[in-house]
Amino acid sequence: MVKRWQKWARENELFYLFSNNRIAQLAALLAFLCVAGAALSPWIAPSNPYDIASIDIMDSLIPPVWSENSDTRFLIGTDDQGRDLLSAILYGTRLSLLVGLLSISFACVLGVSVGLMAGYLGGRFDAIVMRIADVQLSLPAILTALLIDGVARGILPREQHDSLMIVVLTVAIGLSLWVNFARTVRASTFVERNKEYVQSAEIMGMHPIRIMLVHILPNILGPILVILTVDLAVAVLLESTLSFLGVGVPPNQPSLGTLIRIGTEYMFSGEWWIVIFPSAMLIIMVISINVLGDFLRDAFNPRLR
Amino acid sequence: MNKKVTLLAGVSLAILLSGYTSAAHAETFKWAGTTDPQTMDPHATNSAPVLGFLNNVYEGLVRRNKEMKIEPALAESWEQLGADGWRFKLRSGVTFHDGSALTADDVLFSYERASSEESDVRSWFAPVKSVEVVDDLTIDFLTNAPNPLFPDSIANFMIMDRDWSANNAAERPSKEAENYATRNANGTGAFTITARDPGVKTTLKPFANWWDELESNITEAIFTPIGQSATGMAALLSGEIDFISPIPLQDVPRMKERDGFRVHEGVEARVLMFGFAHQADSLKFSDDVSGKNPFQDVRVRQAAYQAIDVDALVSKVMRGNAQPAAQLVSDAMRGYSAANASRLDYDPDASKQLLADAGYPDGFSFGLQCPNDRYINDESICKAAASMFAKVGLNAKLTSMPVRNYWPELREDKFDMYLLGWSPGTFDAEHPIRFLVATPNKEKKLGSWNFGDYSNARVDELLPAIQTELDDAKRQAMIDEVTKVMQDEVAYIPMYVQPLIWASKDNIELTQRTDNFFILRWVTVN
């Protein structure tokens, strides 16, 4: 068993590169900590920031434990409502990551299917879909997301805003990021389509859908994985930006962006911890995911090694 | 290293100096506030951001001076016509910004406009029976009953030109839709509007033919609404603006220590309160109560009242810069009811007991509406209150929005509970009774801001008597009675009196009036 694992490790290129890349390892560790902290937040967070009955306004704006007038119950202080900042950050990261993952999955499924079909079928479908993608690419992703978010808010009755906001955000961010997937997948599919294995599958009379999913898709997974990682960071940032602007998740369920927005109101008054800690969390998470994405890109691209 | 430091110091000094010199000879005055006046129509919205702003552009028959006392404006003098009403003598030679002369007919027109169905300020004219033009410069306001306070009550009644309004199809104010007067103005005031971009900026310049002498040396004034208080602070600190109102309470201590800036503090006449949907048949935003409205039960309202720890709100959210309030006016107002000065105690256990007695031992959920750019820390107050409510089982689902959307939502009754701040325009306890407590009645122009339709027959009976009573002691006794009724029935949850906190560069001379109106003609740039 151990031997087999050693053999795999020796022969697996990705693992080999990873074991020799200190920065990627550090990034992976940080990303893992963020994800684990977020996923386990209901169990490891000192308190539940969503439970407004447990918040006491008298605990508001308490500084971190190493400063004066602090309170040992609140490791890195409290916000303006008396929420424990550490708990709020853990829960906020969870929400940010959840929205990020959901929307990137949505973008991935949409982009990959469109890209595969466009690349494999070509012709008019390809032309139309890719022009749409081009048009969307000329708009910044944040604008697309704001647009969809705004339209959804206008259409949905206000009572349902809170419950549907996560779905709306997912769709809004997903729709603004699918283009990257579609374009890359289409280009790779173009290359693969003319290779012998695809041609032989065609001659054997396989259904096009089967060819696309079973034969082409596994061979273009590398680039998809890279985009998935890099765009996850983008999705998390987009969610935070929308929440920062006040059009994201409902205010009583703070995501990182909401926490940063609250924090900015206290920037001039000396309560620095409300804005610094959530920002630091966001930066660390996004950078580590990005570094991982970069590592994957290099690993999958022989020319860059 | 040393060289670098000198260079740096030199550069920053140069920047500083250039900043100071440019500020010294520029008489362009830039100011910012959290709320953009929604309309330039003086009769379309009875709210302080609008009336305060328009006080620079339009004028009334009378106006308030720096000490809030009434002084002559468009009317040179006025006298009581026995018990029948008041006669106003207009100032001669006053012209509107477009050059046409002010006549008694314009005042009559403005009265018709401001008391029309579409107007938001019609309740000011509830006591008026009719208005009669005597001659070109004399006009009579005849009242239903003797009304000793009438001139005091119309300081914000602004006069518009009949021809201008008629030519631009703005003969009636428009609350929801826009008309010409929503974006344009033609008053007699000290400043004219030269450009208006709603929500972005409004530019004014002094009116050369103003009848009074201008105290200010401003040649141009630019107003920019800045919703985010931190952004506003940054703009002030970086010199982009000269004045901002209000500044965040948390920034006051630091602001006072900084050189080059000045903090202007005062107590505003505004009382912040929660209101209930008294007449609604059912809660609109509840998950667990349908078909009935718990807030119709006085015990539930009292439970909500006693669940709020006002001292905590004042000390934490308002940073000690507010006074708890037990009634709808502060103790600085005429008619304040000293007999009813104490609040109900903060007592969550009593709240729970009251809820259990009323049949809601586990509480219930409801919708709480809140503005987020109207009052100081309004959203924070609502959030803190929501968590206090939650402790007794009242699960408030908070929705906060800009005032632009807030008033329409309240007018459409889309709330179970809401936040409201009220500053009595007449500086008298009768004002909130007329607007917030009297049963809404379009005919009689009463209760126009009583969104929850609170109604009490005794209050409705006493209000006309309060308005006409000349004897102070008798009047006070009636106000005391109304205040008692309101407190016993928990018509509202009065919380605290809001502070006035403005900040400016220290080269700005200004006057801070307690109604939070920012009067441009008293601003001097040194």
Side-chain angles (χ1 to χ4, degrees), chain B residues 71 124 160 183 203 223 229 254 263 269-270 306 315 346-348 353 360 366 379 407 431 480 515 523:
Chain B
E71 66 176 20
W124 293 343
M160 293 175 79
R183 290 197 186 209
T203 315
F223 174 78
S229 48
R254 297 220 159 193
V263 177
R270 186 174 303 278
Q306 294 200 292
S315 72
Y346 163 60
D347 190 344
Q353 188 56 47
Y360 305 97
F366 62 96
E379 195 179 4
W407 301 137
H431 190 268
D480 287 352
D515 55 0
V523 175

Side-chain angles (χ1 to χ4, degrees), chain B residues 145-146 148 430 458-471 474-475 478:
Chain B
E430 177 268 339
R458 181 69 184 142
V459 172
D460 290 344
E461 187 188 332
L462 282 170
L463 178 60
I466 292 171
Q467 286 168 336
T468 51
E469 182 56 63
L470 299 170
D471 183 276
K474 282 189 194 151
R475 187 172 188 273
M478 289 189 282

